[in-house]
Amino acid sequence: MDKLRIHGPCRLSGTLRASGAKNASLPALAACLLTGDEVVLRHVPRVRDIVTMSKLLGHLGVERDEDPSGADGEPGALRLRANGHGSAPDEAPYDLVKTMRAGVLTLGPLLARRGHAKVSLPGGCAIGVRPVDQHLAGLEAMGAEVDIDHGYIHASSTHLPDRRLQGARFRFATRTVTGTENLLMAAVLARGTSVLENCAQEPEVGDLATLLRSMGAHIDDDGHGTLTVEGRRSLHGAEHRVIPDRIEAGTYLVGAVMTRGDVTVVGTRPADLAPLLEKLAEIGAEITTEDGKHNGSIRVRHDGDIGARDLVTAPHPGFPTDLQAQYMALMTQASGAATISETVFENRFQHVPELGRMGADIRIVRANYAQVHGPSRLSGATVMATDLRASACLVLAGLAADGETVIDRIYHLDRGYEKMESKLQRLGVRVERLSS
Ligand code: UD1
């Protein structure tokens, strides 16, 4: 298993380009199951989760071509065509879904277009139980018959007129990102109108709606969590550029503050990062932004003391849970005590013992509530990555630590961060991948 070795301490300085958002690309890839026409996706990051999703789509009969990468190093466009209507398997097997829960995103589109889907239950993961009850309740509200058998979700609409789902009013009991995306993809081909309430409002959900609209879907977003969808008989092909990855950009910007550095991320959308940027400004960082739909920029600089500020994660527009671990790494370098409340997932403090091994002073007061006392002098150590964002937090700690930090099991990082070593190197970090 590959490892990452960082020689700290270092100061991040320079400019980097944001990759496309992994969490916007995954539903966009699944959406190609909704039409037999070609869907062209640009700016899809080449990370492991995308490779896994592509494999899953291949299994479901989707043909895939890839354009050569651009001169600026941007990956080439993906051309996808779901040819297999009627004959391709409609089963998302356990082997592919277990490593990447987003495989469940094939459920809505498969059911909507083919009238049947068999998708492995994703099961638990390092950060919590992560049920899919809301995905299933929503599909049932649209008339689907849903069964769970031998670890698989079986969903069918073959008993309905024309095998089409029936538009419905559904209120999510909890805000779920992939749940909203799944129901949206089901509703666009349903008969009649669906009103989805208490939807997740993450930018990645908005990006999926943009893609679906360019495929011919009718979706109205009231901006307060209600999506009204008029179902269409069929959708057509489209070209779409996925939004920049706000979590990736946020990780490097946190690194800039933590190492008293100066980092500019270009090709990003500052508005998507507002909750983080507000926090970094409170801490004392100097922030400059230039707006742009896909090509804005954010510069974050910091010098001197880092202020300790409490954090509570929440669904968008709150502070993203996917940046909580990185923020905790930052607070180990702050002057004073900061509390961190994780409200989205029940088990997302797995980085705490590893940070402790590097010298951080963090107490888990109760489940989902931790206190960080800083500033700590971190020292390099061999640490173990447990999930994607926890791994990013250990990289940041390694940047601030004295000496060598070796992060084991970086396949977690490879799931979601494109070209992380070369991006860090460009910012002045001495880092290398140790392959085994
Ligand atoms: C997505 C993101 C992930 C991010 C998370 C929260 C993708 C591929 N992944 O994950 O990076 O951390 O949003 O922003 O986009 N829940 C239920 N019932 C359900 C569904 C969810 O109780 O049917 C709960 C979950 O257990 C969790 C909360 O809702 O406590 C939010 O989870 P959800 O938004 O669904 O996360 P994902 O979509 O899996």
Side-chain angles (χ1 to χ4, degrees), residues 23 26 102 130-135 174-178 321-322 344-345 348:
N23 285 353
L26 290 167
R130 297 178 85 169
V132 289
D133 58 302
Q134 293 302 300
H135 305 228
T174 181
R175 281 205 202 162
T176 152
V177 174
T178 49
T321 171
D322 283 352
V344 179
F345 289 110
R348 211 169 196 184

Side-chain angles (χ1 to χ4, degrees), residues 90-392:
D90 48 20
E91 174 181 332
Y94 177 67
D95 276 355
L96 291 170
V97 179
K98 74 170 185 218
T99 52
M100 184 204 53
R101 294 177 37 87
V104 78
L105 283 168
T106 56
L107 179 63
L110 278 179
L111 176 63
R113 180 141 180 272
R114 300 188 187 173
H116 186 261
K118 180 179 172 193
V119 176
S120 170
L121 271 172
C125 71
I127 62 173
V129 180
R130 297 178 85 169
V132 289
D133 58 302
Q134 293 302 300
H135 305 228
L136 305 188
L139 294 176
E140 280 179 332
M142 289 185 204
E145 280 178 354
V146 178
D147 267 326
I148 297 203
D149 189 30
H150 296 294
Y152 277 82
I153 304 162
H154 294 258
S156 168
S157 61
T158 50
H159 58 289
L160 297 171
D162 283 345
R163 303 158 64 99
R164 280 179 82 194
L165 292 168
Q166 176 65 49
R169 178 176 286 271
F170 179 75
R171 184 174 180 80
F172 288 95
T174 181
R175 281 205 202 162
T176 152
V177 174
T178 49
T180 301
E181 291 164 347
N182 238 336
L183 287 206
L184 191 55
M185 289 190 278
V188 290
L189 286 182
R191 178 194 299 276
T193 303
S194 296
V195 181
L196 307 176
E197 295 170 339
N198 199 27
C199 291
Q201 294 178 276
E202 270 64 7
E204 293 76 18
V205 175
D207 197 45
L208 173 65
T210 304
L211 166 62
L212 294 173
R213 282 189 198 106
S214 56
M215 294 169 73
H218 278 229
I219 302 167
D220 177 68
D221 181 348
D222 76 347
H224 301 285
T226 298
L227 296 172
T228 304
V229 184
E230 272 174 45
R232 287 281 171 269
R233 232 175 209 294
S234 63
L235 297 184
H236 50 73
E239 281 204 33
H240 179 70
R241 180 178 174 83
V242 299
I243 55 172
D245 198 312
R246 65 195 166 107
I247 306 300
E248 184 211 27
T251 300
Y252 294 111
L253 295 174
V254 169
V257 180
M258 198 164 163
T259 62
R260 274 82 169 175
D262 182 352
V263 170
T264 302
V265 181
V266 296
T268 190
R269 302 203 304 180
D272 290 351
L273 278 144
L276 172 71
L277 299 182
E278 278 162 26
K279 210 70 192 165
L280 296 183
E282 276 178 41
I283 285 166
E286 198 179 316
I287 296 166
T288 325
T289 59
E290 264 179 46
D291 280 332
K293 192 166 165 240
H294 281 277
N295 57 5
S297 70
I298 306 172
R299 179 175 183 189
V300 170
R301 277 177 283 183
H302 191 61
D303 212 357
D305 266 10
I306 296 173
R309 292 288 181 280
D310 298 344
L311 177 79
V312 181
T313 63
H316 196 78
F319 190 98
T321 171
D322 283 352
L323 284 171
Q324 177 260 110
Q326 298 88 319
Y327 185 83
M328 189 182 281
L330 172 61
M331 284 300 100
T332 67
Q333 300 307 296
S335 303
T339 62
I340 301 202
S341 306
E342 169 57 59
T343 72
V344 179
F345 289 110
E346 68 269 29
N347 185 23
R348 211 169 196 184
F349 282 157
Q350 299 204 342
H351 40 285
V352 170
E354 296 303 285
L355 287 175
R357 296 184 55 248
M358 296 177 74
D361 179 2
I362 306 171
R363 215 156 47 90
I364 300 185
V365 180
R366 54 176 186 271
N368 303 327
Y369 184 74
Q371 249 171 12
V372 188
H373 296 270
S376 294
R377 199 184 165 99
L378 300 181
S379 59
T382 297
V383 289
M384 184 86 85
T386 48
D387 70 64
L388 173 55
R389 307 306 171 184
S391 314

Side-chain angles (χ1 to χ4, degrees), residues 412-430:
H412 289 293
L413 272 179
D414 293 335
R415 283 188 43 215
Y417 285 89
E418 190 176 49
K419 299 185 182 158
M420 189 178 225
E421 300 104 271
S422 59
K423 287 191 178 184
L424 285 172
Q425 280 160 0
R426 222 168 302 142
L427 296 178
V429 178
R430 283 206 297 144

